[in-house]
Structures are given as structure tokens and as C-alpha cells.
Amino acid sequence: MRIAAAYAARVVALALLVAYPAAALDMSEGLWETTITASGETRSLGTHCYTKADIAEMELMLRGKSTPPEAACRYSGFTQAGNSVRYTMSCRYGDDVQESAVEAVYHGDSASGTIRTGGVSVTTTSRRLGSCTQSSFAP
């Protein structure tokens, strides 16, 4: 089970790079900290600075309207109801493709979600720590 949880954690880490879709959602730009819980173990995925531009680009990606050529994951089936979103994430690791069902809810300065993949369910919790100016995703 540890191997499945480790694999799921890698998928979650990739998902979190784009898991904050949000021009229309109640998500504030700034420095965010994320933790994941899989198989009863909780760990931090660190912090990331999300600018308005990052959030707008991530929403386009989740809606399937923008995908960088180097992206390991593709997104489909995006739906939104209020501050809740659902979508399917398909990530390629070499010859293997892992498909995950993602659900997330945004509350301004916090977010929570569930990623289900390969029989493993991973929960995420994120919170805004404060302001920042330098995107964590800039080249």
C-alpha cells in the first residue's frame, strides 16, 4: 500500500500545480501551503506563490483550453458548481497513463479536495499564508 500511496502522492503533486482553477472561484492570490493525506499519512507539499496570471492560466488548463507541450497531465470533463469543481486528470509516466477523478472546494483563503486514482483516495488541504509577488511557476 505504501507504493500505491507514494505513486498517488506524485500524481497529487502534479495535480496541485494546476489544482487551483479560479478566476470565478473564491481563491485569493498569494502564498499557499498544501498538505496531503494518503493511507493515513499526512505530509506537506510545501508552499507555492500563485499570482492572478497563474490562476487564470491554470483555469484554462483544467478546462482543456491550454496545455503546455511539456505537461505530463491532460484535463477533461471540467464542471463547476459555485466554489466546487470536478474534472478528470490523465497523467503520463513513461508508457503508463494514470487517470484520476478530482473534486475540490474553494473558500477564499483555503481549499480542500480529493483525488481518486488507482483505488487510492488522497485528500488535500490548502491554506493561504499571506502575500507574495514572485510566481512559483515562472520560468
Side-chain angles (χ1 to χ4, degrees), residues 59-135:
E59 183 175 10
L60 289 174
M61 287 175 61
L62 290 181
R63 292 179 181 276
K65 296 179 179 182
S66 172
T67 304
E70 71 279 2
C73 299
R74 302 286 188 258
Y75 305 89
S76 61
F78 181 91
T79 61
Q80 179 176 348
N83 288 351
S84 298
V85 298
R86 292 178 184 221
Y87 55 93
T88 300
M89 178 175 67
S90 300
C91 298
R92 179 171 295 284
Y93 301 99
D95 292 335
D96 186 31
V97 175
Q98 182 73 44
E99 191 167 283
S100 304
V102 181
E103 299 177 19
V105 180
Y106 300 86
H107 304 284
D109 289 342
S110 67
S112 60
T114 303
I115 300 170
R116 291 179 180 81
T117 183
V120 176
S121 186
V122 177
T123 58
T124 65
T125 304
S126 300
R127 65 186 179 113
R128 185 178 180 275
L129 301 176
S131 298
C132 60
T133 57
Q134 182 64 40
S135 170

Side-chain angles (χ1 to χ4, degrees), residues 10-71:
R10 284 189 310 216
V11 170
V12 170
L14 285 173
L16 291 174
L17 294 176
V18 293
Y20 297 103
L25 295 180
D26 186 13
M27 181 187 170
S28 301
E29 66 179 307
L31 185 64
W32 285 73
E33 174 184 51
T34 299
T35 59
I36 62 166
T37 302
S39 300
E41 295 181 31
T42 300
R43 69 180 194 153
S44 174
L45 292 181
T47 60
H48 293 94
C49 180
Y50 292 88
T51 64
K52 286 181 184 179
D54 293 330
I55 294 167
E57 178 61 25
M58 288 182 268
E59 183 175 10
L60 289 174
M61 287 175 61
L62 290 181
R63 292 179 181 276
K65 296 179 179 182
S66 172
T67 304
E70 71 279 2

